[in-house]
Amino acid sequence: MKKFNTQEPLSQRFRVLCLVAMVAVLTACSGIKLAYNQGDTLLYWWLDAYVDLDSEQAPEVKQDIKELFKWHRQTQLKDYVHILTNAQRQLAGNLSKADLDADYRDIMARTELLAQKALPELTDLALSIKPEQLAHIEKKFDKNNETFRKKFIRGSVEDMQEKRFKKSMEQFDLWFGDFSRDQEAILRKASDARPLNNQIWLDDRIRRQQRILTVLRKIDKENLGKEAAAPLVQGLIKDMLARGSENKQFFDTSTDGTMQMILTAVKIATPEQKAHAQKRMQGWISDFNTLAAQTK
């Protein structure tokens, strides 16, 4: 995307993170190869829902996404094989908090690499966003925030803890198979021990959205060129990958609590459940190896 001069790094940068998140989520899906092979289309639809791309932008954005997936397929999927192979070794051994900390840093480093790879395209898209698209993005943010309020803010603490626990168990059941009632009771205690403050999550979400909108408006109002806009987009990427310092302790504690819950799940898993996880990871390893060998 080389020719536009309006605004919007955010949605695209959101979209880069969406790609990262999407690839991670694919490991929670039984049809990894199908989902990944359709990923460029799904990502375009996601971005279009935020920006409402016009006929001039759409071909450029589709090509950018296609190229990003091509790079990702050729250079990153083998790394996912490494991550999963390492996870298999850890599961067969004595998984520790230090192991999970290292895994988390590894995933975040790969996430940052992907975001930085897309920086030029994100900047080009930022320069192409029109005022009416900026309004569309803001409206989309507001709608999503209201949905978040309905699902995660309104209700009792017990209701919110139950929703969070069920969401976690969906992932644990996928990895390990069904847990017994006694196991679920142990995991519920680990889940409830995590800090719970969905208002902080919403406030941080709104803060980042407002920063995005501020940057987009600045690019538009000052008619910035690519050289001036790129550092602003890069700043948004950095902010998206690192939670705000104002509530850093909460976010760090939340991450730590989730890791402790994972350790608990591994500790109480039966040999059969661990074998189920090993088999599922091996299936994903095979899928990623196949995808990496394909040219699309």
Side-chain angles (χ1 to χ4, degrees):
M1 299 182 57
K2 307 287 189 286
K3 313 182 273 294
F4 307 127
N5 62 348
T6 21
Q7 59 183 9
E8 203 289 12
L10 166 79
S11 287
Q12 169 98 348
R13 107 55 98 37
F14 252 174
R15 139 195 139 81
V16 168
L17 293 182
C18 180
L19 175 58
V20 175
M22 182 194 70
V23 172
V25 169
L26 291 181
T27 62
C29 158
S30 59
I32 290 178
K33 288 188 286 187
L34 176 62
Y36 191 86
N37 284 330
Q38 298 298 319
D40 52 353
T41 299
L42 296 173
L43 191 51
Y44 174 82
W45 287 349
W46 181 89
L47 180 60
D48 187 43
Y50 274 91
V51 181
D52 192 21
L53 297 163
D54 62 29
S55 59
E56 185 179 17
Q57 293 166 317
E60 296 283 352
V61 171
K62 287 179 179 179
Q63 184 61 32
D64 285 344
I65 294 174
K66 181 179 179 180
E67 291 299 320
L68 185 61
F69 263 83
K70 180 180 179 181
W71 168 83
H72 190 269
R73 184 188 295 268
Q74 293 175 345
T75 67
Q76 302 301 297
L77 292 186
K78 287 293 186 181
D79 287 345
Y80 294 167
V81 170
H82 170 76
I83 290 172
L84 287 167
T85 302
N86 186 52
Q88 285 183 313
R89 288 196 297 267
Q90 291 173 343
L91 186 61
N94 186 22
L95 182 67
S96 68
K97 175 64 162 49
D99 291 330
L100 291 180
D101 286 336
D103 293 341
Y104 181 76
R105 290 193 299 270
D106 189 15
I107 292 171
M108 289 305 297
R110 296 173 197 279
T111 301
E112 183 175 1
L113 175 63
L114 177 57
Q116 292 299 330
K117 171 65 178 178
L119 177 60
E121 290 74 24
L122 295 178
T123 304
D124 286 330
L125 180 60
L127 295 170
S128 79
I129 297 300
K130 300 171 176 61
E132 60 270 22
Q133 292 174 319
L134 180 55
H136 190 277
I137 293 167
E138 185 172 16
K139 183 178 180 180
K140 179 72 171 177
F141 284 160
D142 291 341
K143 181 179 180 180
N144 288 350
N145 291 339
E146 183 57 28
T147 299
F148 185 95
R149 291 186 184 95
K150 290 178 180 178
K151 288 185 176 180
F152 303 112
I153 299 294
R154 299 165 189 169
S156 66
V157 172
E158 291 75 16
D159 288 341
M160 289 186 281
Q161 287 178 330
E162 178 68 17
K163 288 179 181 178
R164 182 175 63 170
F165 175 66
K166 286 184 176 180
K167 186 174 182 180
S168 296
M169 287 309 302
E170 288 175 2
Q171 296 301 311
F172 285 130
D173 286 343
L174 179 72
W175 282 88
F176 293 99
D178 293 336
F179 282 86
S180 69
R181 289 186 178 180
D182 289 342
Q183 287 175 315
E184 285 195 6
I186 295 171
L187 290 171
R188 178 60 190 264
K189 290 182 180 179
S191 178
D192 290 352
R194 295 178 290 173
L196 178 65
N197 191 329
N198 290 340
Q199 187 62 52
I200 288 181
W201 289 103
L202 179 59
D203 290 345
D204 185 68
R205 174 191 186 121
I206 293 174
R207 178 193 64 79
R208 287 182 286 117
Q209 290 171 351
Q210 290 304 310
R211 187 180 174 198
I212 288 166
L213 294 170
T214 297
V215 168
L216 296 181
R217 289 176 179 131
K218 179 180 177 65
I219 293 174
D220 180 49
K221 182 178 180 180
E222 299 181 16
N223 195 29
L224 299 181
K226 188 167 184 176
E227 185 175 354
L232 299 177
V233 179
Q234 189 167 31
L236 287 175
I237 292 175
K238 182 178 180 180
D239 186 50
M240 194 69 68
L241 294 174
R243 295 291 179 181
S245 58
E246 180 180 350
N247 295 301
K248 185 177 185 302
Q249 182 176 358
F250 170 81
F251 294 125
D252 288 347
T253 303
S254 180
T255 299
D256 185 74
T258 297
M259 290 184 182
Q260 292 297 337
M261 188 177 180
I262 293 171
L263 288 173
T264 299
V266 173
K267 181 179 179 180
I268 68 174
T270 65
E272 292 77 16
Q273 288 169 330
K274 289 185 177 181
H276 183 281
Q278 292 280 6
K279 183 178 179 180
R280 183 166 288 278
M281 283 188 279
Q282 189 59 49
W284 292 331
I285 288 171
S286 298
D287 284 346
F288 282 132
N289 277 326
T290 300
L291 286 167
Q294 293 174 347
T295 56
K296 184 180 178 183

